[in-house]
Amino acid sequence: MAFRFWCGECGFKTAWLAEYEGAQRQLEHYAKQHPGIPAGGHVETNRKNPEGRSGCLRTLGVLVLLLILTAMCRY
C-alpha cells in the first residue's frame, strides 16, 4: 500500500511510499527542520493506487507474460 506523510508544522509531504519508508522520511524531516518538536501531521493513503509501486510491476509482468504466450502461439 502507498502512503504520503504530511508535516504538521509546515507544507512538507513525502512522496507515495511504503508506510515504513514514509514514516522514516517524516522523522528525518522533523529532525532537520523542526528539532525538538515531536513528529505530527497526518497520513494519506493512496486510494487510486493502493498497491503503490508493486501494482505497476505486477501489471508489467502480466503484459510481458501475455506477449511471450502470444509469440509462442504464433509459431
Side-chain angles (χ1 to χ4, degrees):
M1 185 154 313
F3 298 88
R4 179 185 289 170
F5 287 75
W6 293 74
C7 178
E9 312 303 320
C10 66
F12 172 80
K13 63 184 176 198
T14 66
W16 292 108
L17 302 167
E19 187 174 15
Y20 175 77
E21 189 177 0
Q24 282 297 114
R25 295 237 178 118
Q26 185 185 39
L27 289 174
E28 291 167 3
H29 167 76
Y30 264 86
K32 185 176 180 181
Q33 300 298 324
H34 313 292
I37 299 175
H42 67 277
V43 181
E44 182 181 5
T45 303
N46 189 344
R47 296 177 195 269
K48 289 183 180 178
N49 186 9
E51 294 297 320
R53 295 179 190 162
S54 64
C56 292
L57 292 176
R58 264 189 234 141
T59 302
L60 182 61
V62 168
L63 289 175
V64 169
L65 180 61
L66 288 173
L67 181 64
I68 292 169
L69 290 173
T70 303
M72 289 174 59
C73 290
R74 292 186 77 193
Y75 296 106

